[in-house]
């Protein structure tokens, strides 16, 4: 008995050695290691990789970091012998951390096809990050529920279509009346849950303060852009804090979930509530399309999914559209061989300019890609992406850029998010939340 | 025998030593060195001296989480050890089904921390739901949630160690005590506890160190909410590491301080309880 056991153990040891050694592959020179940020489309990259290898013979190794762990994965992967060649930074603040690794892409073909050069992440005269997807967010609404509401005999507003909502006062009147009539409309509440489960508060601590801060920085920008004013700001006044509160309170008071229970809700929960037709509104971006269309029991029709801009009760807000921008930038690792860097740039150029590559981008990856190689008809077909394009081209409406890239650190967002949660739970007053916003910004921008 | 041992010592010890060096000693030394540097990755560091340590103490949340951790360790060590000691007393008496009970009490220990954290989050939020609050409404809820979770998880494990200790007490001792007319409480106090001091040493060591380095359960149950008030040391170090650009060194410095603290407390505890162990 003991002998057999010994033999088995010995065998296990030997096989372990064999398998451990099997990892080394013959040729590495023609392999591009791409560390992907977006887990929701990880499987598409496997197809892209096969197609690219079939066309060019170059192997593409795609590794996807689990949701919310990109920085951790990148930190450990980039220190290895075979580091990622293509990785992603999240904007000017992310660049500060990775500047020792990012190659200057100014003279590459990829930068050449970028349609709006001001979108790239730059430092001095160098270009270090190239955006690959434009995204937008606002309030997503279910037009079927809204139509049903506007047909109610006892509605409290004079307008008769959701497209007539053009400021906060109208939005508030409609939302509060919908909440009042929720039984008649067969829904649980006007807004989906204001999700505050750990890691699920980014819609409130990152996206929602964007527009109030845009107003503030836009007034202070001088000759530069609002984003530059934000990056330079060591302190903020948060002068549109009460505007933020207007909309945030509207979310909380007209929700499907009681404020005290929000700490239990995830973004998935609120998207599911929308997909199942239990709520009329949810704040999110076009990346959420998959979470609506892909949900089992989905009752929302494609043509009923529409976007409304965020309205805060600020004078002149009707001229602003959705919050459109990006925080996804490709960077190339400059510590690997020049041949590998070139191979990586060739791949990205192929992805965004060849017919096969563009087919993947439009059809499967669902990117609204900011490259001049895409014609006006070559855009993704999901309803939210279409809405983004519609708002981008709407006459008399300006999009709000993504100022939150100028937020001093991740820590700032975390602290502000926690303060918001405490506000919803009643353990902090609004004045305290505003103080925390200002003091954390000041403290975090010291580093 | 001695000679054979000497001859083959290298052969048998080398693989283990090598693995230990690669997986433990080298990263440990690198970690200490990195705590004096500013770095993005472990191969790219510049020396900054003590600056990281100064910054570690400048952020108030480090001391807050240290205090929270200390409170948690005191409470959880008491609940876990008292409960498991009495369970082991019960389960060393000849009650039918003892083995079954021992197995059942041990089972929670086989579940991973993250999973347990999420399961208990659901249970506790379910309990709190009728009151319109959640675990993160108040740091006190989070604190007691963690205590309940850890007690539930660790009690079975400690119980097994105490059971082994109690079973090793010579029968004559207990019989002699009974003949001399010792009551139940006197037997526990004067015979059983002194006799199982080696088990107490182990159990205290395990619960104290486990309490200090608790991470998964904390992350899954509350993730530090509300506003970092339930953030324990290990989670605080983790968040320091990834919360801001350029703070890796500070996270590393906190980790070194954390190591010194846990090592010191564990050594002191071992010294104290070892002294009370009696030779049988």
């Amino acid at each position: 008995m003991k002998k057999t056991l010994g033999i088995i153990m010995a065998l296990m040891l030997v096989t372990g050695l064999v398998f451990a050694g099997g990892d080394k592959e013959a040729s590495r020179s023609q392999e591009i290691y791409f560390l992907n940020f977006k887990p929701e489309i990880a499987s598409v990259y496997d197809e892209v990789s096969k197609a690219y290898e079939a066309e060019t013979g170059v192997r593409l190794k795609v590794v996807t970091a689990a949701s919310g762990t990109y920085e951790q994965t990148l930190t450990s992967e980039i220190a290895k012998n075979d580091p990622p060649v293509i990785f992603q930074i999240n904007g000017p603040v992310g660049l500060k951390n990775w500047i020792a690794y990012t190659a200057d892409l100014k003279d590459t073909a990829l930068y050449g096809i970028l349609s709006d050069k001001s979108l790239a992440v730059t430092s001095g005269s160098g270009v270090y990050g190239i955006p690959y997807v434009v995204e937008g967010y606002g309030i997503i609404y279910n037009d079927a529920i809204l139509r049903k509401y506007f047909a109610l005999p006892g509605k409290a507003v004079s307008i008769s279509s959701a497209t007539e909502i053009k400021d906060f006062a109208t939005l508030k009147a409609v939302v509060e009346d919908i909440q009042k009539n929720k039984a008649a409309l067969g829904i649980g509440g006007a807004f989906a849950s204001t999700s505050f489960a750990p890691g699920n508060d980014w819609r409130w601590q990152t996206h929602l303060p964007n527009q109030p801060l845009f107003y503030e920085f836009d007034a202070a920008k001088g000759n530069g852009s609002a984003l530059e004013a934000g990056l330079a700001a060591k302190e903020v006044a948060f002068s549109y804090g009460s505007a933020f509160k207007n909309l945030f309170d509207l979310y909380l008071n007209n929700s499907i979930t009681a404020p005290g229970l929000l700490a239990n809700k995830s973004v998935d929960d609120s998207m599911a509530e929308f997909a199942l037709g239990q709520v009329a509104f949810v704040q999110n971006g076009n990346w959420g399309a998959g979470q609506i269309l892909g949900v089992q029991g989905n009752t929302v029709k494609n043509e009923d999914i529409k976007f409304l801009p965020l309205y805060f009760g600020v004078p002149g807000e009707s001229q602003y559209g959705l919050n459109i921008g990006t925080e996804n930038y490709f960077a190339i690792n400059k510590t690997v061989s020049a041949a590998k860097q070139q191979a990586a740039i060739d791949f990205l150029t192929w992805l965004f300019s060849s017919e096969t590559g563009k087919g993947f981008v439009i059809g499967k990856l669902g990117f609204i890609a900011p490259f001049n190689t895409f014609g006006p008809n070559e855009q993704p077909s999901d309803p939210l992406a279409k809405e983004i394009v519609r708002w981008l081209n709407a006459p008399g409406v300006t999009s709000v850029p993504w100022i939150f890239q100028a937020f001093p650190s991740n820590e700032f967002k975390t602290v502000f998010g926690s303060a918001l949660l405490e506000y919803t739970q009643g353990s902090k007053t609004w004045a305290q939340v505003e103080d925390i916003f200002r003091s954390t910004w000041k403290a975090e921008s010291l580093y | 025998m001695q000679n054979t041992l000497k001859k083959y010592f290298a052969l048998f010890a080398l693989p283990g030593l090598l693995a230990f060096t690669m997986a433990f000693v080298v990263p440990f030394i690198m970690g200490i060195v990195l705590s004096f540097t500013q770095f993005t990755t472990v191969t790219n560091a510049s020396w900054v001296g003590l600056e990281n340590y100064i910054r570690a103490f400048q952020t108030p949340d480090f001391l807050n989480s240290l205090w929270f951790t200390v409170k948690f360790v005191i409470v959880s060590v008491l609940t876990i050890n008292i409960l498991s000691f009495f369970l082991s007393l019960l389960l060393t008496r000849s009650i039918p089904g003892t083995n079954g009970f021992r197995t059942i009490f041990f089972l929670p220990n086989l579940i991973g921390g993250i999973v347990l954290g999420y399961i208990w989050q659901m249970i506790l939020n379910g309990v709190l739901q009728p009151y319109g609050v959640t675990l993160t409404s108040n740091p006190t809820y989070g604190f007691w949630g963690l205590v309940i979770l850890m007690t539930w998880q660790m009690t079975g494990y400690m119980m097994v160690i105490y059971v082994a200790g109690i079973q090793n007490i010579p029968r004559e001792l207990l019989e002699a005590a009974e003949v001399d007319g010792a009551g139940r409480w006197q037997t526990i106090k004067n015979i059983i506890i002194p006799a199982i001091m080696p088990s107490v040493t182990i159990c205290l060591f395990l619960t104290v160190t486990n309490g200090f380095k608790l991470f998964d359960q904390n992350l899954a149950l509350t993730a530090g909410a509300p506003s970092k008030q339930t953030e324990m040391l290990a989670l605080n170090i983790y968040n320091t590491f990834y919360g801001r650009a350029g703070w890796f060194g500070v996270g590393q410095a906190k980790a070194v301080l954390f190591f010194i603290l846990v090592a010191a407390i564990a050594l002191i505890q071992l010294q104290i309880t070892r002294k009370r162990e009696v030779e049988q």
Side-chain angles (χ1 to χ4, degrees), chain B residues 31 53 59 86 90 109 121-122 150 172 193 268:
Chain B
Y53 288 88
T59 47
F86 282 105
L90 271 177
N109 203 53
Q121 190 193 44
M122 269 188 269
M150 284 313 286
E172 308 88 73
I193 292 185
I268 293 169

Side-chain angles (χ1 to χ4, degrees), chain A residues 203-223:
Chain A
R203 288 185 294 161
W204 331 116
Q205 37 95 316
T206 305
H207 289 168
L208 198 55
N210 185 61
Q211 204 160 336
L213 280 177
F214 166 74
Y215 293 134
E216 182 171 338
F217 294 143
D218 200 44
K221 68 180 175 186
N223 291 326

Side-chain angles (χ1 to χ4, degrees), chain A residues 71-72 75 78-79 97-98 100-101 198 260-261 263-264 409-411 418-419 421-422 425 427-428 444 447, chain B residues 40-42 44 125 129 132-134 136-137 222-223 225-229 238 242-248:
Chain A
E71 287 293 306
Q72 289 91 315
T75 308
I78 213 158
N97 204 12
W98 292 107
Y101 289 88
L261 300 176
N264 219 352
S409 69
N410 206 27
E411 181 73 8
S418 319
L421 172 60
E422 290 203 67
Q425 293 170 336
S427 45
K428 275 205 167 67
E444 290 297 315
Y447 309 119
Chain B
T40 316
T41 62
V42 290
N44 163 4
N125 276 335
Q129 176 125 16
V133 290
T134 62
T136 55
S137 302
T222 64
S227 296
K228 302 188 172 196
Q229 291 175 71
Y238 175 85
Y242 295 109
R244 308 177 177 97
W247 276 64
F248 290 151

Side-chain angles (χ1 to χ4, degrees), chain A residues 178-361:
Chain A
I178 288 181
Q179 180 77 7
K180 214 186 288 168
N181 290 306
K182 62 182 179 186
L185 295 168
I187 56 174
F191 274 103
S193 305
T194 313
S195 59
F196 268 106
N200 285 276
D201 56 356
W202 44 268
R203 288 185 294 161
W204 331 116
Q205 37 95 316
T206 305
H207 289 168
L208 198 55
N210 185 61
Q211 204 160 336
L213 280 177
F214 166 74
Y215 293 134
E216 182 171 338
F217 294 143
D218 200 44
K221 68 180 175 186
N223 291 326
S225 69
L227 179 63
E228 280 162 1
L231 284 166
K234 292 284 166 214
E235 279 183 59
V236 285
F238 201 31
S239 41
Y240 291 90
S242 61
F244 181 99
K245 180 177 183 289
N246 279 344
L247 189 55
F248 191 64
D249 279 349
L250 194 69
Y251 291 167
L252 293 180
N253 298 334
N254 302 285
S255 172
I256 187 171
T257 308
L261 300 176
L262 290 172
N264 219 352
K265 294 289 179 185
S266 65
V267 179
D268 287 347
D269 289 334
S270 40
M271 292 313 285
E273 288 156 8
F274 184 82
L276 300 179
Q278 295 169 348
V279 296
F281 303 95
V282 61
Q283 182 204 309
N284 211 345
N286 61 307
W287 54 84
Q291 284 171 294
I292 301 170
L293 306 171
V295 171
Q296 209 173 9
N298 164 36
T299 62
V300 194
K301 289 204 192 72
N302 271 9
E303 61 271 22
D304 288 332
I305 306 176
K306 296 277 165 67
F307 259 130
L308 205 63
L310 301 168
Y311 292 123
F312 293 88
V314 173
E317 63 185 347
S318 309
Q319 57 168 309
Y320 289 107
L322 302 177
N323 288 237
I324 293 176
T326 183
E327 59 168 350
N328 299 291
Y329 300 91
F330 279 136
I332 304 290
N333 187 349
K334 73 173 171 197
T335 63
V336 302
S337 69
K340 267 195 177 181
Q341 293 181 34
Q342 190 53 47
I345 291 162
D346 289 345
F347 161 69
L348 291 176
T349 316
W350 172 85
L351 183 64
F352 292 109
S353 60
S354 76
E355 285 309 311
T356 328
K358 276 158 65 177
F360 277 118
V361 172

Side-chain angles (χ1 to χ4, degrees), chain A residues 24-74:
Chain A
K24 282 204 187 80
E25 278 152 32
S27 135
R28 277 186 184 276
S29 59
Q30 284 301 64
E31 184 184 81
I32 312 165
Y33 178 0
F34 168 29
L35 189 63
N36 170 31
F37 173 78
K38 290 173 164 286
E40 66 269 23
I41 47 172
S43 57
V44 182
Y45 277 119
D46 293 339
E47 294 174 43
V48 173
S49 154
K50 275 196 201 103
Y52 191 60
E53 195 175 356
E55 234 172 80
T56 61
V58 180
R59 237 180 74 86
L60 178 71
K61 171 179 157 194
V62 185
V63 173
T64 301
S67 174
T69 63
Y70 192 80
E71 287 293 306
Q72 289 91 315
T73 315
L74 181 58

